[in-house]
Amino acid sequence: MKKISIYTVLAAALLLPATAFSWESTMSCGSGIAECKAGVEPKSTAWTLNCVGFHLNERGTKQIPYDSVKQVYKRSLATWSAPDCSYLRLIDLGETNEDRVGFNPYTNKNANIIVFRDTAWKDSKTIMALTTVTQDSVTGKIYDADIEMNCLDYKFSADATGSSEYIDLENTLTHELGHAIGFAHSKVTDATMFGYSRAGDVEKRSLHADDIEAICTIYPASDTDEVRKCKLKSGYFHKPNFGMDERPPSDCGCSIYSETAPINKSTATFVLLLLSFLVFYSRKRVKAL
Amino acid sequence: MAPSFGNATLVESLSLEELSVAADMIAIGRVVDMRAEWSEEYLRIETLCVLELEQCIKGDCKEKIEFKKRGGSVGSLHQVVIGEPQFDLGDELVVFLEKLERGYFFLGLTQGKYRIEWQNAKRMAVGDAGDLQLYDRRTKRSFEHEASVLPLEDFVDLIQAYIQR
């Protein structure tokens, strides 16, 4: 897949008027007092990992051959991983038979899944695809993101170019993955994260400068990326255990982690101060003795 | 004409007429309670909302109408379903609800909520459609959702006319 360089983004930014970008993050908590705790300012949501892994439900959909679904899914992940001005990579972690969406706070075996509902769509018929993101309401750190497609009421196609009847799967999935990594809707009509589309629309398959600006702002590439290369330990849980007797998640509830995640600056500062104090105190004690 | 769909997550775009006809319940009232809780094996968070009834336009309205919205905050966890309407305790709303197995929900997500505002000494129904825009693929232009701001009385008349058609 062709990488989009930071120069392309900068060039696009220079060519476009200053107001051309219109992307938005989802926020850590709702704007109303009922959702944000008193005194808590909503923050942009984001994954704190440099790789986010997804599982495709093994049943796929009867509407499209499974191999085609898989190809579409992989292309959509690759689309958001392409800009090299961003460190974020979306990774295919294989298939799963899990079809429950949401986040169980009492297990560390939650997985980000993509599932097609051919027969049992329990939600509104007006909804074609639904992305559920679970995050920390104070920091905005995303723990889990799942995508459901309503294949009971709508017809999807692996290639719906120009169709007046079919919804293009790649168009939809790329848009929903944008939500899964923390983006709300953009007002730029050609952007992948624009909130509206039509049957036959395939424009959202590829990222617009507005989408690239979004991912490169929230997940910017930097010199430290060498240190935090995407190293995934296989975290594939074929049958995730959602039992309530599991210990609560220590860090991330998702099924992947970065082995060399950068150390939080404030934690590092605190540890250094503590060490300095201990050295100073032990020397004083030695002198006193 | 090709069906348009939109607003977050991905939801069918509904005109006011479609909302009026498809809703199981349409009511005007004030939000007096909101309580987020876990549902379904502790996987999803839903917010249970209570609307104190001012006027029932359609359906079997009770004095206090209970409905749900997907997502909400429990403890330090916040679950977001993009496209669910935002509102707060004390807000006056016109709600278009549909009955699902697990209770009443907004029909068409954000499209099913209009907030009531005072403008020039008149009560207005403001579509929270807010920045709800439709996109015409042929012209590549987006346009405002119809009836996004209307005097409340006219708005109710329009809904009733659509229902009676």
Side-chain angles (χ1 to χ4, degrees), chain A residues 134-181:
Chain A
T134 309
Q135 61 207 29
D136 188 295
S137 61
V138 178
T139 64
K141 177 179 175 179
I142 301 177
Y143 294 117
D144 184 87
D146 301 307
I147 297 170
E148 296 167 273
M149 299 284 185
N150 178 1
C151 298
L152 182 65
D153 301 299
Y154 298 96
K155 292 176 185 170
F156 287 90
S157 164
D159 185 6
T161 311
S163 167
S164 60
E165 195 180 352
Y166 289 93
I167 297 160
D168 189 74
L169 180 61
E170 188 173 342
N171 200 65
T172 308
L173 197 51
T174 311
H175 176 87
E176 295 304 318
L177 282 169
H179 288 314
I181 55 175

Side-chain angles (χ1 to χ4, degrees), chain A residues 24 26-37 45 100-106 110 117 122-138 143 148 154 156 162-165 167-168 171-172 175-176 179 183-185 187 189-190 194-204 242 244, chain B residues 1-14 22 33-36 38 40-47 69-89 98 100-102 105-111 129 131-138 140-143 145:
Chain A
E24 283 181 24
T26 44
M27 304 308 284
S28 55
C29 50
S31 52
I33 54 167
E35 293 192 335
C36 276
K37 287 177 186 168
T45 61
R100 292 171 296 178
V101 305
F103 178 77
N104 185 329
Y106 297 104
N110 287 287
R117 310 283 190 206
K122 291 178 182 171
D123 235 302
S124 174
K125 281 182 179 179
T126 63
I127 300 173
M128 298 177 200
L130 199 62
T131 300
T132 303
V133 179
T134 309
Q135 61 207 29
D136 188 295
S137 61
V138 178
Y143 294 117
E148 296 167 273
Y154 298 96
F156 287 90
S163 167
S164 60
E165 195 180 352
I167 297 160
D168 189 74
N171 200 65
T172 308
H175 176 87
E176 295 304 318
H179 288 314
F183 301 132
H185 283 152
K187 289 189 172 65
T189 53
D190 290 335
F194 183 61
Y196 289 87
S197 191
R198 283 181 177 275
D201 185 4
V202 293
E203 284 174 6
K204 290 180 172 58
F242 286 104
M244 298 299 292
Chain B
M1 187 174 160
S4 62
F5 45 87
N7 203 29
T9 287
L10 204 58
V11 61
E12 200 172 343
S13 171
L14 300 167
D33 195 16
M34 289 171 79
R35 198 170 56 249
W38 286 99
E40 292 181 28
E41 306 164 296
Y42 274 74
L43 290 173
R44 296 183 194 241
I45 297 174
E46 288 180 343
T47 303
K69 68 174 196 148
R70 301 161 192 84
S73 290
V74 176
S76 62
L77 283 179
H78 183 66
Q79 210 166 64
V80 183
V81 174
I82 315 268
E84 273 290 355
Q86 297 280 316
F87 53 88
D88 213 338
L89 279 175
E98 71 174 325
L100 301 179
E101 253 177 50
R102 55 189 203 277
F105 284 80
F106 283 103
L107 174 64
L109 299 178
T110 281
Q111 299 170 93
D131 46 13
L132 190 78
Q133 290 179 317
L134 302 176
Y135 177 52
D136 188 325
R137 184 177 160 73
R138 288 164 304 170
K140 291 203 170 188
R141 282 184 184 171
S142 58
F143 52 93
H145 188 261

Side-chain angles (χ1 to χ4, degrees), chain A residues 34 49 64 72 84 113 139 144 163 169 176 178 216 225 266 281:
Chain A
L49 300 161
I64 303 169
V72 164
D84 61 8
I113 65 165
T139 64
D144 184 87
S163 167
L169 180 61
E176 295 304 318
C216 295
D225 283 354
S266 57
Y281 184 70

Side-chain angles (χ1 to χ4, degrees), chain B residues 3-68:
Chain B
S4 62
F5 45 87
N7 203 29
T9 287
L10 204 58
V11 61
E12 200 172 343
S13 171
L14 300 167
S15 65
L16 183 60
E17 180 172 5
E18 288 167 326
L19 279 170
S20 307
V21 172
D24 295 307
M25 189 187 291
I26 306 172
I28 300 174
R30 182 185 296 274
V31 182
V32 292
D33 195 16
M34 289 171 79
R35 198 170 56 249
E37 56 192 21
W38 286 99
S39 67
E40 292 181 28
E41 306 164 296
Y42 274 74
L43 290 173
R44 296 183 194 241
I45 297 174
E46 288 180 343
T47 303
L48 182 67
C49 310
V50 179
L51 190 83
E52 199 169 65
L53 185 68
E54 177 190 316
Q55 184 182 349
C56 182
I57 304 172
K58 184 181 180 184
D60 182 20
C61 311
K62 292 188 175 137
E63 207 172 298
K64 290 203 168 167
I65 297 169
E66 288 192 356
F67 61 96
K68 290 177 181 175

Side-chain angles (χ1 to χ4, degrees), chain A residues 37-114:
Chain A
K37 287 177 186 168
V40 174
E41 283 293 315
K43 288 184 185 155
S44 294
T45 61
W47 290 90
T48 53
L49 300 161
N50 46 335
C51 320
V52 181
F54 290 87
H55 298 273
L56 185 64
N57 183 273
E58 64 188 9
R59 282 194 298 276
T61 170
K62 286 174 188 165
Q63 296 181 0
I64 303 169
Y66 189 71
D67 281 348
S68 302
V69 170
K70 219 167 164 180
Q71 282 169 21
V72 164
Y73 157 70
K74 286 186 176 181
R75 282 202 300 270
S76 296
L77 295 177
T79 298
W80 281 108
S81 302
D84 61 8
C85 54
S86 164
Y87 64 77
L88 191 70
R89 298 293 176 263
L90 306 191
I91 310 293
D92 168 26
L93 289 178
E95 296 167 15
T96 180
N97 62 358
E98 180 56 65
D99 64 357
R100 292 171 296 178
V101 305
F103 178 77
N104 185 329
Y106 297 104
T107 175
N108 58 359
K109 292 180 179 177
N110 287 287
N112 306 316
I113 65 165
I114 292 159

